[in-house]
Amino acid sequence: MVPSVCGAAASGNYHWANPLDQANPDAVPLSLGLEDAAKAVTCMLLAGPLLTGFTQTINDWYDKDIDAINEPYRPIPSGRISEGQVKGQIWGLLLAGLGLAGVLDLWAGHTEPTILGLSALGSFISYIYSAPPLKLKQSGWIGNYALGCSYISLPWWCGQAMFGTLNAQVVVLTILYSLAGLGIAIVNDFKSIEGDRAMGLNSLPVAFGIDTAKWICVGTIDVTQLGVAGYLAYIGETTYALALLGLILPQIFFQFKYFLKDPIKYDVKYQASAQPFLVLGILTTALAVGHHDFSGI
């Protein structure tokens, strides 16, 4: 959900209204601030409960045999949810998400269904990530990168399209930033090694072993963010670059404190401790993009 807010921030067109300053003739009208807040919340509803919910439900359905090995207590392999209920949830979330995407396009005044198109693309990626015959998650590299893009790039683009227009610099930056999302996705693979190996999924911990895969994981997360910080410094957004560096340091600390010691035992503790700083880093980057003038590039 947060990347959709990042897109709004990166657009440079999100309006903050101070209800205590409405007597000031230069103040942002409260009605405009409330409308932009409503737009942002609706984008989060689309990216979060609806389409992320669709992604996770369809993944759980196609992973039911793996989960029966790794996590048999989950609702689908344990039988607490029937096949009909799962399929109803999948279709309900998908149709509600696409319908809301169309409403957002109308609300934004788009002449072309930009948000609907992005939502359809994201839903298609979610399907081929989980479902045969493509089942992108069979490859640790391709599957996790697809997941990273779905969670970072696509929601960001949706938010930015809602409040402004996408440009090539933002598209490239978010696609590269999704490499950090690849690293985050690898974290979840460590707890599934047994089932992945049994079902023929070539996740990175299966392919490289735990010790190598944990360094690949933190390497993609840290190097990506350091590269983005370097880019922000290069374009003159030094304050934001330094802020991003400051947010990378606690992530490295928690990597050594938890994840690198035992990625299976401490995966949840690591994500709970480090991931908020990653998310704040993405938001910091978005604010830098919104602050920067790309017209001369």
Side-chain angles (χ1 to χ4, degrees):
M1 292 190 292
V2 173
S4 59
V5 176
C6 293
S11 72
N13 295 321
Y14 186 90
H15 300 91
W16 297 91
N18 184 353
L20 302 179
D21 194 36
Q22 292 301 296
N24 184 343
D26 296 324
V28 173
L30 185 59
S31 59
L32 179 58
L34 291 174
E35 181 181 5
D36 279 4
K39 287 178 178 179
V41 169
T42 308
C43 283
M44 288 190 286
L45 174 63
L46 172 64
L50 295 179
L51 294 186
T52 298
F54 163 76
T55 299
Q56 293 179 339
T57 305
I58 199 169
N59 182 64
D60 284 354
W61 174 248
Y62 284 105
D63 271 4
K64 59 184 182 295
D65 294 331
I66 298 175
D67 288 341
I69 299 172
N70 293 323
E71 300 172 285
Y73 51 83
R74 298 190 68 165
I76 296 176
S78 67
R80 298 201 306 273
I81 298 179
S82 68
E83 178 178 346
Q85 290 173 317
V86 174
K87 291 183 176 179
Q89 183 173 325
I90 289 171
W91 279 106
L93 291 168
L94 175 62
L95 294 176
L98 295 178
L100 184 59
V103 170
L104 286 172
D105 275 319
L106 293 174
W107 196 355
H110 292 160
T111 57
E112 297 180 355
T114 307
I115 297 175
L116 178 58
L118 290 172
S119 299
L121 174 61
S123 301
F124 175 71
I125 292 173
S126 298
Y127 177 76
I128 64 174
Y129 170 79
S130 299
L134 293 179
K135 202 174 181 71
L136 299 181
K137 68 182 301 178
Q138 292 179 109
S139 165
W141 293 110
I142 297 173
N144 284 331
Y145 183 71
L147 204 59
C149 278
S150 296
Y151 286 150
I152 294 179
S153 296
L154 288 170
W156 181 317
W157 297 350
C158 173
Q160 186 148 352
M162 186 69 201
F163 288 91
T165 56
L166 287 170
N167 57 55
Q169 290 81 13
V170 166
V171 170
V172 172
L173 179 63
T174 51
I175 288 175
L176 292 175
Y177 219 129
S178 295
L179 288 169
L182 180 152
I184 292 298
I186 296 172
V187 175
N188 295 317
D189 289 338
F190 287 93
K191 67 177 183 291
S192 306
I193 293 174
E194 182 182 350
D196 288 350
R197 186 179 288 118
M199 301 304 295
L201 295 187
N202 198 32
S203 68
L204 295 186
V206 171
F208 293 98
I210 292 175
D211 287 339
T212 301
K214 70 184 183 183
W215 284 103
I216 294 173
C217 177
V218 299
T220 55
I221 294 171
D222 297 343
V223 171
T224 298
Q225 293 179 96
L226 289 170
V228 172
Y231 171 73
L232 295 181
Y234 172 74
I235 64 174
E237 299 296 341
T238 308
T239 301
Y240 292 101
L242 291 173
L244 181 54
L245 284 174
L247 291 166
I248 296 170
L249 293 176
Q251 294 177 62
I252 296 174
F253 171 77
F254 288 119
Q255 286 164 3
F256 280 94
K257 182 177 182 180
Y258 293 125
F259 188 73
L260 292 172
K261 283 184 179 179
D262 190 334
I264 298 175
K265 181 179 179 180
Y266 294 119
D267 62 332
V268 175
K269 275 190 175 181
Y270 164 67
Q271 291 194 78
S273 302
Q275 197 154 328
F277 295 100
L278 173 72
V279 172
L280 287 173
I282 298 172
L283 181 57
T284 298
T285 303
L287 291 169
V289 170
H291 181 261
H292 191 72
D293 182 9
F294 287 97
S295 59
I297 298 179

